[in-house]
Amino acid sequence: MLCCLAMGSAWASSGFFSLGNEPEFLDPADVFTLEHLQQQGDEYVVQGHVADRYYVYRHSLKLVDALDNDVDLALPAGAPKHDEFFGDTEIYTGNAARLRFPATAPGPLTLHWQGCAEEGICYPPQAIQISAAAASPVGEDQAAAQRLAALGPVAGTLLFFGFGLLLAFTPCTLPMIPIVSTMVVGSQAKPRRAFVLSSSYVLAMAGTYAAVGVAAGLAGANLQATLQSPWLLGAFAALFLILASSLFGLFELRLPSALMNRLQAAGPARSGGSVTAAAALGFLSALLVGPCMTAPLAGALLYIGQTGSAVQGGLALFALGLGMGLPLLAIAVFGARVLPRPGAWMDRVRVAFGYVMVGMAVMMLTRFLTGPMSLLLWGAWILLVAVGLVAWAQAVAARQRLAWALRSAAVFVGLWSVLMLVGAASGGNAILQPLAHLRGAPAAATATAQVSYVQAKSVADVDARLSEGAARGQWTLIDFYADWCVSCHVIERNVFGDPAVAARLARMHIVRPDVTRNDATDKELLKHWGVMGPPTLILVGPDGTERRDLRVVGEIGAREFQDRLDAAGVS
């Protein structure tokens, strides 16, 4: 009643209903407006704007759900004001009203508010509808989680099957192509047998992929640490070198692994290879691509972490694996039909696959070795390719045009390998510019030295660092890091070590939470920000709002990272 009397008195004294030359007042919908929702970890954040020469009472802000139940609403302190009717109170003007509430709040939500104009009128209580559907663009991983949550089990599974088809054409599945082709084509399996072998491979790979993904989602970063361990990556590198040796003819192996050979010997003798061995290869392939943090995988794990539904998450990941394996299945089955009969070309294919295997071994090792050592290994591999081209030219000497083309390619590749080896010996680390570091002062090292990391441990630490960045009007990059995270070191070397990127990072506030120990504080921080594990890069603007659609999950290139900075408007 007191509030109504106050508004009636104010409206009457202002002559709101008079026809005189009085100031025009804004419609209530234009007095207090809200931006699009932003999600930060487990909270929604929405920025409120109060029109000039108007104010909103802090105590009047109330958020309720569809059943009219109160929703926890975190509000900043307002400006003190002595009001004739409310006494000492707090108000918001301009952009002071920044609202936070749990992301789990069931929508649609209604925000109640009341405010006045400085000229004298007050508005009756107002309401604004807030819907999570109006949230600003989300990241790829979050979008995948939202789609899985919004769809039923069948539709969600089909969606992730489509994601798998897209992933089949990414570098994550590159190691599988020579493995499956060698298994089917190299064993001279008939079409029906080729289908059985490749199906066993794909089903085992998809099942393992789902099991590992669900375990990672439920266990957190501990399993991820194991999958990114240098020991495991080194073991895979050794396996690829063994496979390459057999393909180069150093020893004969019906299937490219001593373990697979024993499994085949234990099973019934079948023409065209062993189903058990093919399934074991699928299991190993799934472990190989497990650490590859793609958006669909991260989205499924995010969904598992938020809902605890390992069943639906597991189905999604199994469908993801099937989608990734379908093109491999087609290559195996139709490749066996359309390729010519075994002959001299098979030897060249085996050798070519051997080079691919060596390259995959190098790629595994360079994920945790230093830059110069990685350049040395790549230089040695390219020199090996040059030698292979020379040998191929000699084998086809009768075909002069092809032989000269191969020799010319061998000369170019060999010269480049020498440059890479010289660059590695002198401390270089760039494959495309192996001698760039010899041009005076090392520009990359100088730029990298300008990047300073601010350590943070807890949620409160990160919030404090964000406040520091906001006070200076800087963008903040939150870099979730762990010592065991191989991809973190790759990003630090190839992205943050890029001179152009480092120059832009030097003008930003770089916060690096170290979650190596994965203790209770680390888990709380990861849960607060909705992070499945490192590497994850989060861009937060000077206003304290994360650009969720630009979040980086997994590895990224220097150019792609700069594109995200450009999209955010970071200078």
Side-chain angles (χ1 to χ4, degrees):
M1 178 65 70
L2 180 62
C3 179
C4 293
L5 290 175
M7 290 185 294
S9 175
W11 283 27
S13 63
S14 65
F16 186 75
F17 294 105
S18 68
L19 299 177
N21 187 19
E22 297 293 336
E24 294 184 3
F25 296 99
L26 295 176
D27 186 91
D30 298 323
V31 172
F32 186 45
T33 58
L34 301 178
E35 288 186 356
H36 290 305
L37 292 178
Q38 299 276 350
Q39 185 168 1
Q40 290 188 0
D42 54 1
E43 290 183 326
Y44 274 129
V45 179
V46 59
Q47 178 66 56
H49 297 282
V50 182
D52 291 341
R53 305 188 64 78
Y54 289 80
Y55 58 87
V56 171
Y57 290 107
R58 182 179 186 273
H59 70 266
S60 70
L61 293 175
K62 179 183 178 182
L63 189 64
V64 297
D65 60 21
L67 300 178
D68 206 32
N69 297 317
D70 288 343
V71 176
D72 292 336
L73 184 62
L75 299 171
K81 178 180 176 60
H82 181 77
D83 189 88
E84 180 180 357
F85 297 98
F86 295 117
D88 292 330
T89 184
E90 296 179 58
I91 62 172
Y92 293 132
T93 59
N95 299 328
R98 185 174 179 79
L99 319 179
R100 293 177 177 269
F101 57 91
T104 56
L109 305 176
T110 302
L111 177 68
H112 296 277
W113 68 273
Q114 184 181 357
C116 302
E118 294 179 0
E119 281 79 4
I121 75 160
C122 289
Y123 293 88
Q126 304 292 324
I128 302 177
Q129 294 294 319
I130 301 177
S131 173
S136 60
V138 297
E140 296 175 356
D141 59 324
Q142 192 179 25
Q146 291 178 355
R147 293 190 189 103
L148 183 59
L151 298 173
V154 176
T157 301
L158 292 176
L159 176 68
F160 273 78
F161 179 79
F163 282 152
L165 286 175
L166 296 177
L167 290 177
F169 301 98
T170 65
C172 290
T173 58
L174 178 62
M176 301 181 191
I177 296 176
I179 292 175
V180 175
S181 300
T182 302
M183 176 185 68
V184 176
V185 180
S187 63
Q188 303 179 25
K190 295 181 179 179
R192 181 175 299 179
R193 186 62 178 171
F195 178 79
V196 173
L197 287 174
S198 52
S199 296
S200 301
Y201 175 92
V202 171
L203 289 174
M205 184 267 293
T208 307
Y209 199 53
V212 171
V214 171
L218 297 178
N222 286 330
L223 184 59
Q224 187 186 359
T226 303
L227 292 176
Q228 297 202 63
S229 167
W231 292 102
L232 184 62
L233 294 175
F236 276 119
L239 174 62
F240 279 124
L241 289 177
I242 294 174
L243 301 183
S245 299
S246 67
L247 293 173
F248 287 144
L250 297 182
F251 58 90
E252 192 64 32
L253 197 63
R254 187 172 181 82
L255 286 174
S257 169
L259 175 61
M260 300 304 103
N261 194 33
R262 289 197 297 270
L263 289 173
Q264 181 185 11
R270 298 290 300 273
S271 172
S274 165
V275 173
T276 305
L281 278 175
F283 170 77
L284 291 176
S285 297
L287 292 182
L288 174 65
V289 300
C292 189
M293 287 288 291
T294 58
L297 173 60
L301 298 185
L302 182 62
Y303 173 80
I304 294 171
Q306 290 177 347
T307 66
S309 178
V311 175
Q312 187 169 346
L315 287 175
L317 290 171
F318 184 78
L320 186 75
L322 289 180
M324 293 174 62
L326 184 60
L328 300 174
L329 185 67
I331 291 174
V333 175
F334 295 105
R337 290 184 178 182
V338 301
L339 289 177
R341 294 182 178 277
W345 72 271
M346 279 297 300
D347 294 332
R348 291 193 290 270
V349 170
R350 284 171 57 91
V351 171
F353 283 160
Y355 283 110
V356 173
M357 292 292 184
V358 175
M360 294 307 305
V362 173
M363 188 182 72
M364 293 289 104
L365 295 174
T366 56
R367 294 178 65 82
F368 60 87
L369 294 178
T370 62
M373 183 59 68
S374 299
L375 183 61
L376 177 65
L377 291 179
W378 282 120
W381 179 74
I382 291 182
L383 181 60
L384 182 65
V385 172
V387 173
L389 291 174
V390 172
W392 189 2
Q394 292 178 346
V396 295
R399 302 168 61 182
Q400 296 185 357
R401 292 184 178 179
L402 177 59
W404 274 107
L406 293 173
R407 292 190 185 101
S408 300
V411 170
F412 174 78
V413 173
L415 289 176
W416 194 260
S417 68
V418 171
L419 293 177
M420 295 176 66
L421 294 175
V422 172
S426 57
N429 57 18
I431 296 178
L432 297 180
Q433 293 181 315
L435 303 180
H437 63 288
L438 299 179
R439 298 178 302 191
T446 301
T448 305
Q450 299 174 359
V451 179
S452 59
Y453 301 99
V454 179
Q455 300 300 320
K457 179 67 175 177
S458 64
V459 174
D461 290 342
V462 174
D463 289 342
R465 303 292 84 79
L466 290 176
S467 298
E468 293 173 358
R472 294 196 292 264
Q474 287 181 309
W475 278 82
T476 298
L477 175 67
I478 306 178
D479 173 20
F480 282 89
Y481 167 89
D483 290 340
W484 43 259
C485 174
V486 176
S487 296
C488 296
H489 298 287
V490 173
I491 290 176
E492 185 173 18
R493 181 177 70 244
N494 298 337
V495 180
F496 296 168
D498 182 89
V501 173
R504 301 182 71 172
L505 292 180
R507 299 189 294 270
M508 298 174 61
H509 194 48
I510 315 300
V511 179
R512 171 170 280 186
D514 189 338
V515 295
T516 300
R517 296 176 59 186
N518 194 36
D519 53 22
T521 304
D522 295 337
K523 293 178 180 178
E524 180 185 4
L525 179 61
L526 293 171
K527 180 179 179 181
H528 176 78
W529 284 93
V531 173
M532 293 308 304
T536 300
L537 305 178
I538 296 176
L539 283 169
V540 181
D543 60 352
T545 301
E546 177 195 354
R547 284 296 304 270
R548 187 60 175 80
D549 55 316
L550 300 178
R551 177 180 291 199
V552 177
V553 180
E555 294 184 22
I556 190 173
R559 181 63 262 173
E560 292 80 7
F561 183 68
Q562 289 203 71
D563 290 341
R564 303 216 177 194
L565 294 180
D566 293 338
V570 181
S571 58

